[in-house]
Amino acid sequence: MQAKFTVQIDSFKKISKIPNAWSDDDYRALLSIMDFEDDVEKMDASELREMCMMSLNDLEPADAAKAVLTHLFPDLAEGKIDQVSHDMMDDRSWEEYPDCLFHERFFSAYALLREAFNGTFAKPTGVELALTVTAGHAEDMAIFDESLHSSIVRLLANGQGDDALINRLYEDQIKGTYFPEAPGLVWQLKQVADEGTTRQFSLVSSYFWMENFEQVESFETKSHADEEE
């Protein structure tokens, strides 16, 4: 049985990069992949980032993309990375790559490469969303304790029309009891407050999935948790 909720959109903000997506260790790994010979261990954070951006810019765009993807997707075959790194010049992989669980990493790849090349690569568009969820009974909120990502994605999907892309592509998972793709649709998710029948959440996702909420203040919806296998 699906619980019913009222959702208030507290804030909706477009973003082109995810804060703190790239760490010093990421920059060191990228410099190593690009055969950077200086001692990166002695560099401070700003110098590491600067040298990484300069080294990427010294490469052809597709080669720079290959270096970034090699770091972000260690399990992808080299031939696949070669193909995708060339396709990135024209594709929007943070929206279009078949496996949505890769989308967040692609988003951050585009953000870094676009900065390194002062454009050239497509500008990724994401969303920072804050929302307040209210239920009729406190026990209805248990779904968010049982499977947070799946319950929130169903909540947001059911708040859109049946013709929304997320509902057309993931109808079985939204209506069903197992949604392994949910973290690929809502990338970063945390509960901010819990006041019994009301909870607040913040999340990062792609504008691709969440654009329908840009002009929405509140809506009625329903959701349910995954079932344990």
Side-chain angles (χ1 to χ4, degrees), residues 118-139:
N118 192 27
T120 302
F121 290 85
K123 181 179 181 179
T125 307
V127 169
E128 286 182 349
L129 193 63
L131 46 93
T132 298
V133 180
T134 303
H137 308 281
E139 55 265 29

Side-chain angles (χ1 to χ4, degrees), residues 43-81:
M43 295 181 182
D44 62 24
S46 60
E47 188 177 8
L48 262 176
R49 177 176 170 77
E50 181 181 356
M51 293 309 301
C52 188
M53 303 304 278
M54 290 175 58
S55 297
L56 286 169
N57 187 255
D58 284 341
L59 301 173
E60 291 297 318
D63 292 332
K66 181 179 178 180
V68 172
L69 297 187
T70 297
H71 170 59
L72 289 177
F73 300 103
D75 296 330
L76 275 186
E78 184 176 355
K80 184 65 173 178
I81 287 178

Side-chain angles (χ1 to χ4, degrees), residues 5-11 130-134 141 155 195 197-201 217-219:
F5 302 92
T6 299
V7 178
Q8 177 180 310
I9 304 296
D10 299 319
S11 66
L131 46 93
T132 298
V133 180
T134 303
M141 291 293 189
L155 185 90
E195 299 177 3
T197 57
T198 298
R199 296 192 188 187
Q200 292 178 313
F201 300 94
E217 293 184 359
S218 65
F219 56 94

Side-chain angles (χ1 to χ4, degrees), residues 20-191:
N20 303 314
W22 293 93
S23 67
D24 291 351
D25 286 341
D26 289 320
Y27 294 132
R28 291 188 187 98
L30 277 173
L31 287 167
S32 176
I33 289 170
M34 292 184 285
D35 297 321
F36 187 80
E37 295 181 354
D38 290 4
D39 188 357
V40 297
E41 297 301 327
K42 295 180 179 179
M43 295 181 182
D44 62 24
S46 60
E47 188 177 8
L48 262 176
R49 177 176 170 77
E50 181 181 356
M51 293 309 301
C52 188
M53 303 304 278
M54 290 175 58
S55 297
L56 286 169
N57 187 255
D58 284 341
L59 301 173
E60 291 297 318
D63 292 332
K66 181 179 178 180
V68 172
L69 297 187
T70 297
H71 170 59
L72 289 177
F73 300 103
D75 296 330
L76 275 186
E78 184 176 355
K80 184 65 173 178
I81 287 178
D82 281 340
Q83 174 198 333
V84 177
S85 62
H86 283 87
D87 292 344
M88 282 178 71
M89 300 299 298
D90 300 310
D91 291 352
R92 299 163 64 89
S93 302
W94 74 92
E95 297 175 352
E96 299 170 353
Y97 193 79
D99 187 344
C100 69
L101 294 173
F102 287 11
H103 286 186
E104 180 181 3
R105 281 176 282 173
F106 272 119
F107 185 93
S108 292
Y110 275 87
L112 189 74
L113 289 163
R114 182 175 173 82
E115 184 175 349
F117 286 89
N118 192 27
T120 302
F121 290 85
K123 181 179 181 179
T125 307
V127 169
E128 286 182 349
L129 193 63
L131 46 93
T132 298
V133 180
T134 303
H137 308 281
E139 55 265 29
D140 292 338
M141 291 293 189
I143 65 170
F144 302 116
D145 300 321
E146 295 168 16
S147 53
L148 180 57
H149 267 87
S150 297
S151 298
I152 287 290
V153 173
R154 290 189 180 105
L155 185 90
L156 294 169
N158 288 325
Q160 304 181 50
D162 291 339
D163 60 342
L165 187 62
I166 191 171
N167 286 308
R168 287 188 277 126
L169 292 181
Y170 296 100
E171 179 182 8
D172 290 344
Q173 295 91 324
I174 291 166
K175 293 182 177 179
T177 56
Y178 184 51
F179 203 160
E181 298 89 352
L185 306 178
V186 168
W187 302 332
Q188 299 187 12
L189 172 62
K190 62 181 179 180
Q191 181 174 294

